[in-house]
PDB file of all heavy atoms in Angstrom:
ATOM      1  N   LYS C 106      27.951  58.747  85.029  1.00 90.00           N
ATOM      2  CA  LYS C 106      28.079  59.454  83.699  1.00 90.00           C
ATOM      3  C   LYS C 106      27.937  58.537  82.698  1.00 90.00           C
ATOM      4  O   LYS C 106      27.333  58.876  81.617  1.00 90.00           O
ATOM      5  CB  LYS C 106      29.443  60.257  83.774  1.00 90.00           C
ATOM      6  CG  LYS C 106      29.222  61.654  83.642  1.00 90.00           C
ATOM      7  CD  LYS C 106      30.569  62.291  83.326  1.00 90.00           C
ATOM      8  CE  LYS C 106      30.559  63.794  83.711  1.00 90.00           C
ATOM      9  NZ  LYS C 106      31.960  64.308  83.692  1.00 90.00           N
ATOM     10  N   LEU C 107      28.572  57.440  82.929  1.00 90.00           N
ATOM     11  CA  LEU C 107      28.613  56.382  81.918  1.00 90.00           C
ATOM     12  C   LEU C 107      27.324  55.536  81.665  1.00 90.00           C
ATOM     13  O   LEU C 107      26.846  55.271  80.537  1.00 90.00           O
ATOM     14  CB  LEU C 107      29.702  55.301  82.219  1.00 90.00           C
ATOM     15  CG  LEU C 107      30.194  54.405  81.103  1.00 90.00           C
ATOM     16  CD1 LEU C 107      30.721  55.167  79.989  1.00 90.00           C
ATOM     17  CD2 LEU C 107      31.335  53.623  81.800  1.00 90.00           C
ATOM     18  N   TRP C 108      26.562  55.345  82.734  1.00 90.00           N
ATOM     19  CA  TRP C 108      25.370  54.531  82.758  1.00 90.00           C
ATOM     20  C   TRP C 108      24.017  55.254  82.825  1.00 90.00           C
ATOM     21  O   TRP C 108      23.034  54.505  82.587  1.00 90.00           O
ATOM     22  CB  TRP C 108      25.499  53.535  83.883  1.00 90.00           C
ATOM     23  CG  TRP C 108      26.557  52.341  83.762  1.00 90.00           C
ATOM     24  CD1 TRP C 108      27.678  52.361  84.080  1.00 90.00           C
ATOM     25  CD2 TRP C 108      26.253  51.196  82.794  1.00 90.00           C
ATOM     26  NE1 TRP C 108      28.431  51.276  83.631  1.00 90.00           N
ATOM     27  CE2 TRP C 108      27.463  50.489  82.850  1.00 90.00           C
ATOM     28  CE3 TRP C 108      25.225  50.747  82.067  1.00 90.00           C
ATOM     29  CZ2 TRP C 108      27.696  49.327  82.134  1.00 90.00           C
ATOM     30  CZ3 TRP C 108      25.457  49.534  81.422  1.00 90.00           C
ATOM     31  CH2 TRP C 108      26.672  48.779  81.399  1.00 90.00           C
ATOM     32  N   GLU C 109      24.011  56.453  83.114  1.00 89.00           N
ATOM     33  CA  GLU C 109      22.784  57.102  83.357  1.00 89.00           C
ATOM     34  C   GLU C 109      21.855  57.196  82.061  1.00 89.00           C
ATOM     35  O   GLU C 109      22.610  57.282  81.015  1.00 89.00           O
ATOM     36  CB  GLU C 109      22.902  58.512  84.008  1.00 89.00           C
ATOM     37  CG  GLU C 109      23.458  59.533  83.049  1.00 89.00           C
ATOM     38  CD  GLU C 109      23.749  60.834  83.877  1.00 89.00           C
ATOM     39  OE1 GLU C 109      23.303  60.916  84.945  1.00 89.00           O
ATOM     40  OE2 GLU C 109      24.546  61.562  83.300  1.00 89.00           O
ATOM     41  N   PRO C 110      20.711  57.294  82.150  1.00 87.00           N
ATOM     42  CA  PRO C 110      19.843  57.334  80.890  1.00 87.00           C
ATOM     43  C   PRO C 110      20.208  58.409  79.965  1.00 87.00           C
ATOM     44  O   PRO C 110      20.395  58.213  78.701  1.00 87.00           O
ATOM     45  CB  PRO C 110      18.414  57.608  81.399  1.00 87.00           C
ATOM     46  CG  PRO C 110      18.502  57.043  82.772  1.00 87.00           C
ATOM     47  CD  PRO C 110      19.796  57.257  83.262  1.00 87.00           C
ATOM     48  N   ALA C 111      20.648  59.427  80.512  1.00 86.00           N
ATOM     49  CA  ALA C 111      20.983  60.606  79.605  1.00 86.00           C
ATOM     50  C   ALA C 111      22.208  60.366  78.741  1.00 86.00           C
ATOM     51  O   ALA C 111      22.473  61.072  77.764  1.00 86.00           O
ATOM     52  CB  ALA C 111      21.327  61.828  80.545  1.00 86.00           C
ATOM     53  N   ALA C 112      22.997  59.247  79.182  1.00 87.00           N
ATOM     54  CA  ALA C 112      24.292  58.955  78.516  1.00 87.00           C
ATOM     55  C   ALA C 112      23.839  58.259  77.129  1.00 87.00           C
ATOM     56  O   ALA C 112      24.763  58.176  76.248  1.00 87.00           O
ATOM     57  CB  ALA C 112      25.159  58.078  79.313  1.00 87.00           C
ATOM     58  N   GLN C 113      22.661  57.716  77.014  1.00 84.00           N
ATOM     59  CA  GLN C 113      22.383  56.978  75.872  1.00 84.00           C
ATOM     60  C   GLN C 113      22.616  57.563  74.649  1.00 84.00           C
ATOM     61  O   GLN C 113      22.078  58.647  74.368  1.00 84.00           O
ATOM     62  CB  GLN C 113      20.841  56.516  76.054  1.00 84.00           C
ATOM     63  CG  GLN C 113      20.439  55.748  74.914  1.00 84.00           C
ATOM     64  CD  GLN C 113      19.444  54.653  75.234  1.00 84.00           C
ATOM     65  OE1 GLN C 113      19.038  54.496  76.282  1.00 84.00           O
ATOM     66  NE2 GLN C 113      18.874  53.847  74.229  1.00 84.00           N
ATOM     67  N   GLY C 114      23.356  57.023  73.754  1.00 83.00           N
ATOM     68  CA  GLY C 114      23.676  57.701  72.507  1.00 83.00           C
ATOM     69  C   GLY C 114      24.484  58.835  72.478  1.00 83.00           C
ATOM     70  O   GLY C 114      24.901  59.477  71.477  1.00 83.00           O
ATOM     71  N   VAL C 115      24.975  59.406  73.681  1.00 88.00           N
ATOM     72  CA  VAL C 115      25.688  60.490  73.940  1.00 88.00           C
ATOM     73  C   VAL C 115      27.006  60.220  74.318  1.00 88.00           C
ATOM     74  O   VAL C 115      28.062  60.527  73.508  1.00 88.00           O
ATOM     75  CB  VAL C 115      25.037  61.490  74.790  1.00 88.00           C
ATOM     76  CG1 VAL C 115      25.921  62.736  75.039  1.00 88.00           C
ATOM     77  CG2 VAL C 115      23.644  61.997  74.432  1.00 88.00           C
ATOM     78  N   VAL C 116      27.136  59.496  75.300  1.00 89.00           N
ATOM     79  CA  VAL C 116      28.612  59.160  75.815  1.00 89.00           C
ATOM     80  C   VAL C 116      28.887  57.930  75.293  1.00 89.00           C
ATOM     81  O   VAL C 116      28.536  56.759  75.565  1.00 89.00           O
ATOM     82  CB  VAL C 116      28.538  58.948  77.351  1.00 89.00           C
ATOM     83  CG1 VAL C 116      29.834  58.582  77.932  1.00 89.00           C
ATOM     84  CG2 VAL C 116      27.880  60.279  78.155  1.00 89.00           C
ATOM     85  N   MET C 117      29.758  58.125  74.154  1.00 89.00           N
ATOM     86  CA  MET C 117      30.126  56.912  73.407  1.00 89.00           C
ATOM     87  C   MET C 117      31.731  56.716  73.377  1.00 89.00           C
ATOM     88  O   MET C 117      32.114  55.746  72.883  1.00 89.00           O
ATOM     89  CB  MET C 117      29.804  57.075  71.839  1.00 89.00           C
ATOM     90  CG  MET C 117      28.283  57.378  71.650  1.00 89.00           C
ATOM     91  SD  MET C 117      27.250  56.160  72.364  1.00 89.00           S
ATOM     92  CE  MET C 117      27.245  54.899  71.116  1.00 89.00           C
ATOM     93  N   LYS C 118      32.304  57.678  74.012  1.00 90.00           N
ATOM     94  CA  LYS C 118      33.767  57.645  74.001  1.00 90.00           C
ATOM     95  C   LYS C 118      34.179  57.675  75.513  1.00 90.00           C
ATOM     96  O   LYS C 118      33.625  58.345  76.358  1.00 90.00           O
ATOM     97  CB  LYS C 118      34.516  58.745  73.288  1.00 90.00           C
ATOM     98  CG  LYS C 118      34.137  58.940  71.749  1.00 90.00           C
ATOM     99  CD  LYS C 118      35.148  58.116  71.048  1.00 90.00           C
ATOM    100  CE  LYS C 118      34.638  57.971  69.602  1.00 90.00           C
ATOM    101  NZ  LYS C 118      34.838  59.252  68.765  1.00 90.00           N
ATOM    102  N   TRP C 119      35.391  57.092  75.779  1.00 91.00           N
ATOM    103  CA  TRP C 119      35.883  57.117  77.236  1.00 91.00           C
ATOM    104  C   TRP C 119      36.162  58.554  77.596  1.00 91.00           C
ATOM    105  O   TRP C 119      35.913  58.952  78.755  1.00 91.00           O
ATOM    106  CB  TRP C 119      37.106  56.226  77.300  1.00 91.00           C
ATOM    107  CG  TRP C 119      36.861  54.830  77.486  1.00 91.00           C
ATOM    108  CD1 TRP C 119      37.032  53.982  76.389  1.00 91.00           C
ATOM    109  CD2 TRP C 119      36.181  54.126  78.419  1.00 91.00           C
ATOM    110  NE1 TRP C 119      36.603  52.623  76.805  1.00 91.00           N
ATOM    111  CE2 TRP C 119      36.149  52.761  78.118  1.00 91.00           C
ATOM    112  CE3 TRP C 119      35.831  54.581  79.780  1.00 91.00           C
ATOM    113  CZ2 TRP C 119      35.593  51.907  78.916  1.00 91.00           C
ATOM    114  CZ3 TRP C 119      35.243  53.616  80.636  1.00 91.00           C
ATOM    115  CH2 TRP C 119      35.065  52.320  80.269  1.00 91.00           C
ATOM    116  N   ASN C 120      36.734  59.435  76.743  1.00 90.00           N
ATOM    117  CA  ASN C 120      37.112  60.763  77.224  1.00 90.00           C
ATOM    118  C   ASN C 120      35.940  61.608  77.425  1.00 90.00           C
ATOM    119  O   ASN C 120      36.138  62.796  77.934  1.00 90.00           O
ATOM    120  CB  ASN C 120      38.087  61.270  76.131  1.00 90.00           C
ATOM    121  CG  ASN C 120      37.510  61.453  74.817  1.00 90.00           C
ATOM    122  OD1 ASN C 120      36.250  61.137  74.643  1.00 90.00           O
ATOM    123  ND2 ASN C 120      38.309  61.915  73.790  1.00 90.00           N
ATOM    124  N   GLN C 121      34.724  61.192  77.059  1.00 90.00           N
ATOM    125  CA  GLN C 121      33.580  62.034  77.517  1.00 90.00           C
ATOM    126  C   GLN C 121      33.272  61.869  78.950  1.00 90.00           C
ATOM    127  O   GLN C 121      32.631  62.676  79.498  1.00 90.00           O
ATOM    128  CB  GLN C 121      32.352  61.533  76.630  1.00 90.00           C
ATOM    129  CG  GLN C 121      32.439  62.036  75.200  1.00 90.00           C
ATOM    130  CD  GLN C 121      31.296  61.415  74.386  1.00 90.00           C
ATOM    131  OE1 GLN C 121      31.444  60.248  74.094  1.00 90.00           O
ATOM    132  NE2 GLN C 121      30.365  62.196  74.104  1.00 90.00           N
ATOM    133  N   VAL C 122      33.726  60.744  79.551  1.00 88.00           N
ATOM    134  CA  VAL C 122      33.549  60.579  80.859  1.00 88.00           C
ATOM    135  C   VAL C 122      34.570  61.209  81.755  1.00 88.00           C
ATOM    136  O   VAL C 122      34.381  61.978  82.746  1.00 88.00           O
ATOM    137  CB  VAL C 122      33.431  59.109  81.254  1.00 88.00           C
ATOM    138  CG1 VAL C 122      33.170  58.904  82.726  1.00 88.00           C
ATOM    139  CG2 VAL C 122      32.495  58.349  80.444  1.00 88.00           C
ATOM    140  N   ASN C 123      35.787  61.056  81.245  1.00 88.00           N
ATOM    141  CA  ASN C 123      36.825  61.645  81.996  1.00 88.00           C
ATOM    142  C   ASN C 123      38.004  61.990  80.948  1.00 88.00           C
ATOM    143  O   ASN C 123      38.402  61.054  80.271  1.00 88.00           O
ATOM    144  CB  ASN C 123      37.550  60.524  82.870  1.00 88.00           C
ATOM    145  CG  ASN C 123      38.581  61.167  83.764  1.00 88.00           C
ATOM    146  OD1 ASN C 123      39.179  62.183  83.380  1.00 88.00           O
ATOM    147  ND2 ASN C 123      38.920  60.642  84.868  1.00 88.00           N
ATOM    148  N   PRO C 124      38.249  63.275  80.764  1.00 90.00           N
ATOM    149  CA  PRO C 124      39.141  63.700  79.786  1.00 90.00           C
ATOM    150  C   PRO C 124      40.411  63.087  79.901  1.00 90.00           C
ATOM    151  O   PRO C 124      41.157  62.923  78.763  1.00 90.00           O
ATOM    152  CB  PRO C 124      39.224  65.264  80.018  1.00 90.00           C
ATOM    153  CG  PRO C 124      38.162  65.563  80.927  1.00 90.00           C
ATOM    154  CD  PRO C 124      37.779  64.340  81.739  1.00 90.00           C
ATOM    155  N   ALA C 125      40.814  62.466  80.895  1.00 89.00           N
ATOM    156  CA  ALA C 125      42.065  61.982  81.088  1.00 89.00           C
ATOM    157  C   ALA C 125      42.198  60.486  80.310  1.00 89.00           C
ATOM    158  O   ALA C 125      43.113  60.026  79.974  1.00 89.00           O
ATOM    159  CB  ALA C 125      42.481  61.605  82.432  1.00 89.00           C
ATOM    160  N   TRP C 126      40.939  59.931  80.064  1.00 90.00           N
ATOM    161  CA  TRP C 126      40.886  58.747  79.283  1.00 90.00           C
ATOM    162  C   TRP C 126      40.898  58.911  77.831  1.00 90.00           C
ATOM    163  O   TRP C 126      40.490  60.012  77.308  1.00 90.00           O
ATOM    164  CB  TRP C 126      39.579  57.998  79.808  1.00 90.00           C
ATOM    165  CG  TRP C 126      39.664  57.534  81.350  1.00 90.00           C
ATOM    166  CD1 TRP C 126      40.647  57.520  82.143  1.00 90.00           C
ATOM    167  CD2 TRP C 126      38.547  57.341  82.053  1.00 90.00           C
ATOM    168  NE1 TRP C 126      40.382  57.180  83.354  1.00 90.00           N
ATOM    169  CE2 TRP C 126      39.015  57.065  83.503  1.00 90.00           C
ATOM    170  CE3 TRP C 126      37.047  57.238  81.937  1.00 90.00           C
ATOM    171  CZ2 TRP C 126      38.111  56.758  84.516  1.00 90.00           C
ATOM    172  CZ3 TRP C 126      36.288  56.972  82.921  1.00 90.00           C
ATOM    173  CH2 TRP C 126      36.857  56.662  84.242  1.00 90.00           C
ATOM    174  N   PRO C 127      41.286  57.983  77.171  1.00 90.00           N
ATOM    175  CA  PRO C 127      41.535  58.035  75.756  1.00 90.00           C
ATOM    176  C   PRO C 127      40.260  58.245  75.035  1.00 90.00           C
ATOM    177  O   PRO C 127      39.218  57.986  75.375  1.00 90.00           O
ATOM    178  CB  PRO C 127      42.197  56.705  75.466  1.00 90.00           C
ATOM    179  CG  PRO C 127      41.687  55.702  76.330  1.00 90.00           C
ATOM    180  CD  PRO C 127      41.538  56.524  77.677  1.00 90.00           C
ATOM    181  N   ASP C 128      40.604  58.678  73.756  1.00 90.00           N
ATOM    182  CA  ASP C 128      39.389  58.865  72.847  1.00 90.00           C
ATOM    183  C   ASP C 128      39.138  57.535  72.181  1.00 90.00           C
ATOM    184  O   ASP C 128      39.446  57.331  70.936  1.00 90.00           O
ATOM    185  CB  ASP C 128      39.857  59.907  71.809  1.00 90.00           C
ATOM    186  CG  ASP C 128      38.748  60.095  70.719  1.00 90.00           C
ATOM    187  OD1 ASP C 128      37.628  59.699  70.971  1.00 90.00           O
ATOM    188  OD2 ASP C 128      39.092  60.846  69.757  1.00 90.00           O
ATOM    189  N   ALA C 129      38.515  56.655  73.010  1.00 89.00           N
ATOM    190  CA  ALA C 129      38.188  55.243  72.414  1.00 89.00           C
ATOM    191  C   ALA C 129      36.766  55.072  72.625  1.00 89.00           C
ATOM    192  O   ALA C 129      36.171  55.434  73.638  1.00 89.00           O
ATOM    193  CB  ALA C 129      39.128  54.236  73.070  1.00 89.00           C
ATOM    194  N   PRO C 130      36.143  54.151  71.996  1.00 89.00           N
ATOM    195  CA  PRO C 130      34.783  53.783  71.997  1.00 89.00           C
ATOM    196  C   PRO C 130      34.519  53.065  73.188  1.00 89.00           C
ATOM    197  O   PRO C 130      35.358  52.255  73.639  1.00 89.00           O
ATOM    198  CB  PRO C 130      34.381  53.114  70.740  1.00 89.00           C
ATOM    199  CG  PRO C 130      35.691  52.510  70.326  1.00 89.00           C
ATOM    200  CD  PRO C 130      36.746  53.516  70.577  1.00 89.00           C
ATOM    201  N   VAL C 131      33.452  53.358  73.963  1.00 90.00           N
ATOM    202  CA  VAL C 131      33.026  52.573  75.101  1.00 90.00           C
ATOM    203  C   VAL C 131      32.152  51.344  74.680  1.00 90.00           C
ATOM    204  O   VAL C 131      31.321  51.537  73.834  1.00 90.00           O
ATOM    205  CB  VAL C 131      32.314  53.496  76.062  1.00 90.00           C
ATOM    206  CG1 VAL C 131      32.063  52.774  77.432  1.00 90.00           C
ATOM    207  CG2 VAL C 131      32.912  54.864  76.186  1.00 90.00           C
ATOM    208  N   LYS C 132      32.531  50.164  75.233  1.00 88.00           N
ATOM    209  CA  LYS C 132      31.651  49.060  74.963  1.00 88.00           C
ATOM    210  C   LYS C 132      31.116  48.625  76.346  1.00 88.00           C
ATOM    211  O   LYS C 132      31.829  48.275  77.201  1.00 88.00           O
ATOM    212  CB  LYS C 132      32.505  47.875  74.390  1.00 88.00           C
ATOM    213  CG  LYS C 132      33.185  48.224  73.039  1.00 88.00           C
ATOM    214  CD  LYS C 132      31.999  48.190  71.894  1.00 88.00           C
ATOM    215  CE  LYS C 132      32.484  48.554  70.570  1.00 88.00           C
ATOM    216  NZ  LYS C 132      33.537  47.692  70.117  1.00 88.00           N
ATOM    217  N   LEU C 133      29.706  48.768  76.370  1.00 89.00           N
ATOM    218  CA  LEU C 133      29.225  48.471  77.711  1.00 89.00           C
ATOM    219  C   LEU C 133      28.466  47.060  77.844  1.00 89.00           C
ATOM    220  O   LEU C 133      27.822  46.714  76.867  1.00 89.00           O
ATOM    221  CB  LEU C 133      28.058  49.554  77.978  1.00 89.00           C
ATOM    222  CG  LEU C 133      28.653  51.008  78.133  1.00 89.00           C
ATOM    223  CD1 LEU C 133      27.454  51.959  78.068  1.00 89.00           C
ATOM    224  CD2 LEU C 133      29.341  51.118  79.500  1.00 89.00           C
ATOM    225  N   PHE C 134      28.689  46.361  78.861  1.00 90.00           N
ATOM    226  CA  PHE C 134      28.018  45.176  79.156  1.00 90.00           C
ATOM    227  C   PHE C 134      27.406  45.189  80.503  1.00 90.00           C
ATOM    228  O   PHE C 134      28.008  45.687  81.524  1.00 90.00           O
ATOM    229  CB  PHE C 134      29.118  43.958  79.068  1.00 90.00           C
ATOM    230  CG  PHE C 134      29.641  43.916  77.694  1.00 90.00           C
ATOM    231  CD1 PHE C 134      30.833  44.693  77.349  1.00 90.00           C
ATOM    232  CD2 PHE C 134      29.251  43.000  76.883  1.00 90.00           C
ATOM    233  CE1 PHE C 134      31.413  44.514  76.069  1.00 90.00           C
ATOM    234  CE2 PHE C 134      29.872  42.921  75.559  1.00 90.00           C
ATOM    235  CZ  PHE C 134      30.853  43.561  75.152  1.00 90.00           C
ATOM    236  N   GLY C 135      26.201  44.628  80.517  1.00 88.00           N
ATOM    237  CA  GLY C 135      25.577  44.540  81.907  1.00 88.00           C
ATOM    238  C   GLY C 135      24.504  43.680  81.922  1.00 88.00           C
ATOM    239  O   GLY C 135      24.112  42.922  80.969  1.00 88.00           O
ATOM    240  N   ALA C 136      23.901  43.648  83.192  1.00 84.00           N
ATOM    241  CA  ALA C 136      22.777  42.627  83.450  1.00 84.00           C
ATOM    242  C   ALA C 136      21.521  43.038  82.723  1.00 84.00           C
ATOM    243  O   ALA C 136      21.229  44.074  82.404  1.00 84.00           O
ATOM    244  CB  ALA C 136      22.580  42.474  84.963  1.00 84.00           C
ATOM    245  N   GLY C 137      20.701  41.961  82.388  1.00 80.00           N
ATOM    246  CA  GLY C 137      19.521  42.165  81.862  1.00 80.00           C
ATOM    247  C   GLY C 137      18.627  43.014  82.666  1.00 80.00           C
ATOM    248  O   GLY C 137      18.726  42.887  83.939  1.00 80.00           O
ATOM    249  N   ALA C 138      17.727  43.782  82.087  1.00 78.00           N
ATOM    250  CA  ALA C 138      16.867  44.771  82.873  1.00 78.00           C
ATOM    251  C   ALA C 138      15.923  44.176  83.687  1.00 78.00           C
ATOM    252  O   ALA C 138      15.219  44.767  84.485  1.00 78.00           O
ATOM    253  CB  ALA C 138      16.025  45.661  81.800  1.00 78.00           C
ATOM    254  N   ASP C 139      15.726  42.872  83.604  1.00 76.00           N
ATOM    255  CA  ASP C 139      14.832  42.151  84.443  1.00 76.00           C
ATOM    256  C   ASP C 139      15.430  41.552  85.646  1.00 76.00           C
ATOM    257  O   ASP C 139      14.897  40.805  86.419  1.00 76.00           O
ATOM    258  CB  ASP C 139      14.105  41.033  83.569  1.00 76.00           C
ATOM    259  CG  ASP C 139      15.171  40.021  83.017  1.00 76.00           C
ATOM    260  OD1 ASP C 139      16.387  40.611  82.807  1.00 76.00           O
ATOM    261  OD2 ASP C 139      14.858  38.877  82.846  1.00 76.00           O
ATOM    262  N   SER C 140      16.721  41.705  85.799  1.00 79.00           N
ATOM    263  CA  SER C 140      17.433  41.053  86.933  1.00 79.00           C
ATOM    264  C   SER C 140      17.573  41.953  88.100  1.00 79.00           C
ATOM    265  O   SER C 140      17.643  43.131  88.141  1.00 79.00           O
ATOM    266  CB  SER C 140      18.789  40.502  86.464  1.00 79.00           C
ATOM    267  OG  SER C 140      19.647  41.584  86.281  1.00 79.00           O
ATOM    268  N   GLY C 141      17.714  41.112  89.209  1.00 79.00           N
ATOM    269  CA  GLY C 141      17.968  41.911  90.532  1.00 79.00           C
ATOM    270  C   GLY C 141      19.334  42.564  90.538  1.00 79.00           C
ATOM    271  O   GLY C 141      19.482  43.702  91.071  1.00 79.00           O
ATOM    272  N   THR C 142      20.217  42.087  89.815  1.00 83.00           N
ATOM    273  CA  THR C 142      21.526  42.701  89.616  1.00 83.00           C
ATOM    274  C   THR C 142      21.342  44.065  89.005  1.00 83.00           C
ATOM    275  O   THR C 142      21.997  45.015  89.443  1.00 83.00           O
ATOM    276  CB  THR C 142      22.448  41.811  88.654  1.00 83.00           C
ATOM    277  OG1 THR C 142      22.547  40.544  89.189  1.00 83.00           O
ATOM    278  CG2 THR C 142      23.895  42.288  88.694  1.00 83.00           C
TER     279      THR C 142
END
Side-chain angles (χ1 to χ4, degrees):
Chain C
K106 244 190 200 167
L107 197 54
W108 284 98
E109 69 189 346
Q113 176 149 358
V115 177
V116 180
M117 307 304 281
K118 299 271 174 70
W119 282 108
N120 60 3
Q121 286 173 282
V122 181
N123 185 336
W126 295 340
D128 178 13
V131 189
K132 297 283 176 58
L133 296 166
F134 296 84
D139 54 331
S140 70
T142 310

